[in-house]
Amino acid sequence: MTFNNMKVDMDGRGNGGTINIGGTDYTMTANDRFNVKIEFPKTTPYVGIGYGHQLSSGWGFVFDLGASIGKAKVTETHSGPNLSLADQADIDRELAEVREGAGKVKAIPLIAIGFNYRF
């Protein structure tokens, strides 16, 4: 079992340029925001294999290789004078594309290496 706070925040902020959302270009003002968050579960099952060696005293070594298994959740928020008028179908298409990419990640690989000293 792993406990974590793995997430990716993608923030789109306006500067007078354009942003493509779901195949449609929108002009963004300085007050427009388009934010997408990809968040993995805080508690996930873990599968791994490891090795640890500890003498009765002195230095010891531990190693673990495995993966946390879970599926990401994708959410979005948007605001501003121009993006508040964005078509919901465009937003849904954009989120579907992000979910498709994030959905390919079924496991997060983990490597742990440690040293200890016993006296």
Side-chain angles (χ1 to χ4, degrees):
M1 176 99 18
T2 58
F3 305 98
N4 58 65
N5 192 20
M6 288 187 273
K7 62 183 174 182
V8 176
D9 291 313
M10 298 179 283
D11 298 327
R13 299 177 183 204
N15 63 359
T18 61
I19 185 172
N20 186 289
I21 300 174
T24 303
D25 290 331
Y26 293 94
T27 301
M28 295 180 67
T29 69
N31 295 324
D32 286 309
R33 304 281 186 266
F34 188 77
N35 305 314
V36 176
K37 180 187 281 190
I38 302 171
E39 190 168 21
F40 290 90
K42 297 209 181 294
T43 304
T44 57
Y46 176 77
V47 177
I49 187 166
Y51 171 80
H53 181 69
Q54 177 67 51
L55 300 173
S56 59
S57 64
W59 288 97
F61 171 77
V62 293
F63 172 81
D64 192 71
L65 176 66
S68 291
I69 301 167
K71 185 178 178 185
K73 178 182 172 186
V74 178
T75 57
E76 71 82 29
T77 57
H78 62 280
S79 62
N82 289 353
L83 287 186
S84 62
L85 303 174
D87 187 31
Q88 188 63 43
D90 289 338
I91 292 170
D92 292 343
R93 274 192 297 278
E94 190 70 26
L95 287 181
E97 187 176 323
V98 173
R99 282 188 183 106
E100 182 181 325
K104 291 179 182 175
V105 178
K106 304 283 187 213
I108 306 295
L110 299 168
I111 297 175
I113 299 172
F115 298 94
N116 54 29
Y117 184 78
R118 186 174 182 179
F119 49 93

